[in-house]
Amino acid sequence: MAHDHQHHDTHGLAHEHGHTHGHTHDHADIDWAEMAPHLEAQAELYTPLYRQALDWLAREVTEPGLVVDVGSGPGVVSCLFAETFPGARVVAADGAGPLLERARARAGRLGFADRFGTLAGDLPGALSELDYPADLMWASQSLHHLPDQRAALAALGGHLAPGGTLAILEGGLPARFLPRDIGIGRPGLQARIRAVEEDVFAEMRADLPDSVAETEDWPAMLTAAGLKHTGTRSFLLDLPAPLSDAARDYVTTSLSRLRERIGERLDAEDRAALDRLLDPADEAGVHRRQDVFVLVAHTVYTAVRPV
């Protein structure tokens, strides 16, 4: 399911969190080799959040034989699964070949190559090439880019072993980087940007071929897909000011991509404020100001395939 991950969490760097997916409804022109370092850097920045989620999963799923990361991107989280479950074989599945190359290289560097595989192709269809069903399947911020989310959940569940667990990361709270009043423009800039993003996201969903509208009740959708919902938990990434260089780079890149994507939907005053934030020479910009932070919450839902 290959996408730019620029949707539902920060809508900035690539809503990406290191994951991309095999659908290509509006991403055919993405240069994944060029995007890969950015995707990898963001996933590495979010590693504390992912570790919390995987530690929780490890208490729910003991000694899985096969773990599949659906929409793995460059494999940062795939390798965290290999670390968390030392007895498991891990398969990174994605629609973007250049990202899977990085996933394989990463697994090799970390010493997981002997139990790490990749699967290229549109998802979830490509999962039919798995050698055997998964004991644990992870899908991070990918399902909402598929036209029929309930059907996609059923398809994923069909590749689970009886008693196997599907964990999906969807929703939560969008990333915030700035105080309400940043001293330039009108207070509440990031809230207004978020409102525009919500409209853009709704349009994306509506424009998908054969899109099926769903109430975003993930436990209900998992149940309708024939799975048994077993848990919901949210995990926090809290990087307070002053930020590391890597975190500041992430904020800068995220806001830059937002400017490209939705800047023309903002009013003139908000565009001017955003441009000042992105100006490296401006003392009020995110390159220099000391009040920039990263605060985000992601929600994970788990369900099992009945035995």
Side-chain angles (χ1 to χ4, degrees):
M1 313 169 192
H3 70 57
D4 175 337
H5 264 235
Q6 210 155 312
H7 30 288
H8 233 153
D9 107 355
T10 68
H11 298 64
L13 172 54
H15 177 172
E16 68 258 276
H17 296 10
H19 289 251
T20 56
H21 318 283
H23 57 278
T24 55
H25 56 272
D26 58 354
H27 305 300
D29 58 345
I30 292 174
D31 184 337
W32 291 110
E34 180 182 351
M35 280 291 297
H38 304 295
L39 297 173
E40 206 162 29
Q42 193 214 0
E44 289 170 350
L45 190 71
Y46 275 63
T47 288
L49 184 154
Y50 292 131
R51 286 193 186 280
Q52 295 172 54
L54 268 58
D55 287 348
W56 177 59
L57 288 176
R59 294 193 291 273
E60 304 292 319
V61 183
T62 58
E63 300 184 356
L66 175 62
V67 177
V68 179
D69 184 358
V70 181
S72 64
V76 175
V77 178
S78 311
C79 288
L80 290 176
F81 273 109
E83 177 186 310
T84 302
F85 298 107
R89 174 168 176 77
V90 175
V91 171
D94 202 279
L99 299 182
L100 291 179
E101 291 176 15
R102 293 183 78 99
R104 287 190 292 270
R106 187 180 193 89
R109 290 195 304 273
L110 296 175
F112 304 137
D114 61 336
R115 56 188 181 88
F116 190 93
T118 58
L119 178 59
D122 286 348
L123 300 169
L127 297 178
S128 61
E129 298 177 29
L130 290 171
D131 293 333
Y132 45 91
D135 301 294
L136 175 60
M137 187 171 289
W138 167 267
S140 173
Q141 297 178 323
S142 54
L143 289 166
H144 63 246
H145 271 254
L146 297 176
D148 189 336
Q149 297 167 102
R150 188 180 304 194
L153 287 171
L156 295 179
H159 295 290
L160 288 173
T165 293
L166 173 62
I168 62 168
L169 188 156
E170 290 286 351
L173 298 174
R176 289 196 63 93
F177 308 137
L178 297 161
R180 183 190 65 87
D181 191 337
I182 59 175
I184 57 176
R186 288 181 294 147
L189 173 63
Q190 200 165 0
R192 290 190 297 278
I193 289 174
R194 178 62 184 174
V196 173
E197 289 184 279
E198 290 286 2
D199 289 341
V200 170
F201 181 81
E203 292 168 10
M204 179 280 293
R205 285 286 315 157
D207 289 344
L208 290 173
D210 303 317
S211 179
V212 177
E214 289 279 3
T215 299
E216 291 182 358
D217 180 344
W218 290 100
M221 281 194 278
L222 287 162
T223 300
L227 303 172
K228 180 183 178 182
H229 174 238
T230 52
T232 300
R233 187 165 173 182
S234 295
F235 303 93
L236 187 71
L237 179 69
D238 181 10
L239 305 178
L243 288 179
S244 66
D245 289 344
R248 190 177 294 273
D249 287 346
Y250 160 64
V251 171
T252 302
T253 304
S254 296
L255 291 176
S256 296
R257 294 182 67 83
L258 278 168
R259 179 64 175 89
E260 294 171 8
R261 293 177 60 245
I262 67 168
E264 297 311 309
R265 292 187 179 223
L266 301 173
D267 66 28
E269 186 177 8
D270 283 347
R271 279 199 305 274
L274 187 53
D275 286 343
R276 285 194 64 185
L277 285 170
L278 292 170
D279 183 353
D282 195 321
E283 290 293 337
V286 292
H287 298 81
R288 301 190 179 201
R289 61 189 305 142
Q290 294 302 302
D291 58 356
V292 182
F293 58 88
V294 177
L295 183 64
V296 61
H298 284 333
T299 301
V300 178
Y301 304 89
T302 58
V304 299
R305 180 175 181 176
V307 177

